Amino acid sequence: MVDEFAGPRKIRYFLYLLLVVVFGAVISTILADFYGIAFLEPIMWWFVENPMALFELAGFFSIIALIVIVGMKVLELADNSSF
């Protein structure tokens, strides 16, 4: 099955998303403590507590990236064809 194999792109996107979420959680905690801006904190900490949601989001992004790459290749081949 396709879902059983996590390719390198999905893992790379998961790593980037995890780094962004952890950094965002720290920044949102600082904003909530010092400035009273608390709307980002529950969202970021939910993603920190649920890394599988990030992994599924990374899978979605990798599928979108695959569609974009295939679309660009199709357009490139369509330009090179002699129709």
Side-chain angles (χ1 to χ4, degrees):
M1 299 297 298
V2 175
D3 293 333
E4 294 175 359
F5 177 73
R9 181 174 287 130
K10 184 175 182 178
I11 294 171
R12 189 173 351 122
Y13 289 168
F14 172 66
L15 176 66
Y16 294 153
L17 284 172
L18 191 61
L19 289 172
V20 166
V21 165
V22 169
F23 181 71
V26 170
I27 294 297
S28 67
T29 302
I30 292 170
L31 287 174
D33 288 344
F34 293 115
Y35 300 107
I37 303 171
F39 67 92
L40 285 176
E41 190 175 21
I43 297 168
M44 291 297 174
W45 283 107
W46 185 83
F47 277 118
V48 168
E49 292 172 358
N50 299 307
M52 286 308 293
L54 282 177
F55 194 66
E56 293 298 323
L57 189 61
F60 174 73
F61 287 152
S62 66
I63 289 172
I64 296 298
L66 179 65
I67 291 170
V68 168
I69 290 170
V70 168
M72 289 178 7
K73 184 60 87 171
V74 165
L75 289 175
E76 179 183 324
L77 291 175
D79 284 342
N80 294 337
S81 67
S82 60
F83 286 118

